[in-house]
Amino acid sequence: PDNSDVFVISMAAGETLFSYHRSRTADGVTVIAEYSFDLSNWSPAEIVTTNDLGSGLDQVTVRRFGPGSGETQGFFRLRVELK
């Protein structure tokens, strides 16, 4: 697969979406997408879609969970945990 779009931020219907590639064959790790408005407090992001890219890769798209309250900036991160 083309790796030029490993991480993508996009807007759809007023929501900010974050897409990333995840390996289905990476045993021993869990990848958790999270969002924050202040870089101190992180919450799990909601998975919107998971698309099979072939070769054991998925493209996962997430959004922040819950209604907005007028935030003007936000951040996504991928937290990796060992199983």
Side-chain angles (χ1 to χ4, degrees):
D2 179 7
N3 288 326
S4 63
D5 295 329
V6 174
F7 301 104
V8 176
I9 302 290
S10 59
M11 295 290 293
E15 292 186 306
T16 304
L17 305 174
F18 173 53
S19 298
Y20 60 95
H21 292 181
R22 176 181 65 190
S23 173
R24 289 189 308 274
T25 60
D27 295 332
V29 296
T30 301
V31 178
I32 302 159
E34 297 177 320
Y35 69 91
S36 174
F37 296 108
D38 59 12
L39 294 174
S40 294
N41 301 295
W42 292 91
S43 299
E46 177 184 17
I47 294 176
V48 178
T49 60
T50 301
N51 296 316
D52 184 350
L53 298 176
S55 301
L57 284 179
D58 288 332
Q59 182 181 41
V60 180
T61 300
V62 299
R63 65 179 170 207
R64 67 182 181 88
F65 189 77
S69 59
E71 295 87 2
T72 59
Q73 67 181 10
F75 307 90
F76 284 99
R77 74 176 180 187
L78 296 177
R79 183 166 47 95
V80 178
E81 293 182 349
L82 297 177
K83 292 183 184 179

